Amino acid sequence: MKHYIVLLTTLLLLELRTTAQDVFSCKNTTLSFFSATPMEDIDAVTNKAVSAINGKTGAVYFKVAINTFKFKKTLMEEHFNENYLESDKYPTAEFKGKIMELPDLHKDGTYPVTVEGTMNMHGVDKVYREKGTITVKDGKPTLDAKFNVKLVDHKIKVPTIVVKNIAEVIEVTVKGVYSPAS
């Protein structure tokens, strides 16, 4: 609940002129990632991210607690949190940006979009410009996107002993089903 309040407060501060019907939120945004190597595939998922979209300005916000990602193997999850993402030191990842060609989020349809903004992960800010799709059905927008993250861009170090087990570029998938904020 605390993340949800922070999310709404942040989005509302981004644009004070909006009304509640212009803000859409998702308390259970799904984020997943996939690392493919010849040695081993690694994937993890969380549905505990929070997200909001300002339908008037295009401002978009995502936040996720790093330790909410779940893996098929417990040991991978431990290494991810302790050695790679250092979730005790960097507990969250956050994205603040803008949808460049904002569709009418009250009108049913499927719309290609470009999102540009800054992601802070592992204590490092990096600007991303990525493609996605917003589908509106019955007044509820759904955002789908896939993009790549280079570990080196966020100063995530992989020990030499396991460098062949973890890809240098990780595919990230985002899916959020939004409702008007109340």
Side-chain angles (χ1 to χ4, degrees):
M1 184 66 175
K2 180 177 157 186
H3 290 297
Y4 187 62
I5 293 168
V6 169
L7 166 73
L8 287 178
T9 303
T10 301
L11 194 61
L12 291 175
L13 289 175
L14 289 174
E15 181 59 61
L16 295 174
R17 297 185 313 260
T18 63
T19 64
Q21 66 185 359
D22 291 321
V23 177
F24 296 84
S25 65
C26 180
K27 295 185 280 186
N28 57 352
T29 305
T30 300
L31 298 172
S32 61
F33 66 83
F34 182 72
S35 163
T37 68
M39 299 296 288
E40 178 173 41
D41 290 342
I42 300 171
D43 59 333
V45 66
T46 181
N47 64 354
K48 300 200 184 284
V50 294
S51 177
I53 299 172
N54 183 317
K56 188 173 186 179
T57 67
V60 62
Y61 178 80
F62 291 89
K63 187 170 187 174
V64 63
I66 297 300
N67 65 5
T68 63
F69 282 95
K70 297 301 173 201
F71 292 72
K72 292 176 185 167
K73 296 179 182 176
T74 306
L75 187 58
M76 285 182 182
E77 192 169 318
E78 288 175 19
H79 287 189
F80 172 80
N81 282 295
E82 293 172 11
N83 303 328
Y84 306 121
L85 272 286
E86 301 175 276
S87 62
D88 286 343
K89 188 174 181 180
Y90 308 106
T92 61
E94 185 176 64
F95 179 85
K96 295 177 186 176
K98 185 171 184 166
I99 299 169
M100 305 310 292
E101 59 285 308
L102 184 66
D104 181 346
L105 297 180
H106 299 284
K107 184 179 176 187
D108 285 3
T110 300
Y111 309 97
V113 295
T114 303
V115 178
E116 184 173 329
T118 302
M119 180 165 55
N120 179 283
M121 183 171 60
H122 198 244
V124 177
D125 286 340
K126 166 114 173 69
V127 174
Y128 286 85
R129 184 181 179 99
E130 302 296 337
K131 301 283 185 193
T133 303
I134 293 179
T135 303
V136 181
K137 184 170 181 183
D138 299 326
K140 289 190 173 193
T142 299
L143 173 69
D144 291 289
K146 257 187 196 183
F147 62 97
N148 293 321
V149 173
K150 292 180 183 177
L151 298 182
V152 69
D153 287 346
H154 292 278
K155 298 183 182 174
I156 299 168
K157 296 180 178 154
V158 177
T160 309
I161 195 164
V162 292
V163 76
K164 291 184 179 182
N165 293 47
I166 300 173
E168 295 176 23
V169 178
I170 307 297
E171 180 184 76
V172 177
T173 302
V174 179
K175 181 169 180 118
V177 180
Y178 297 81
S179 297
S182 52

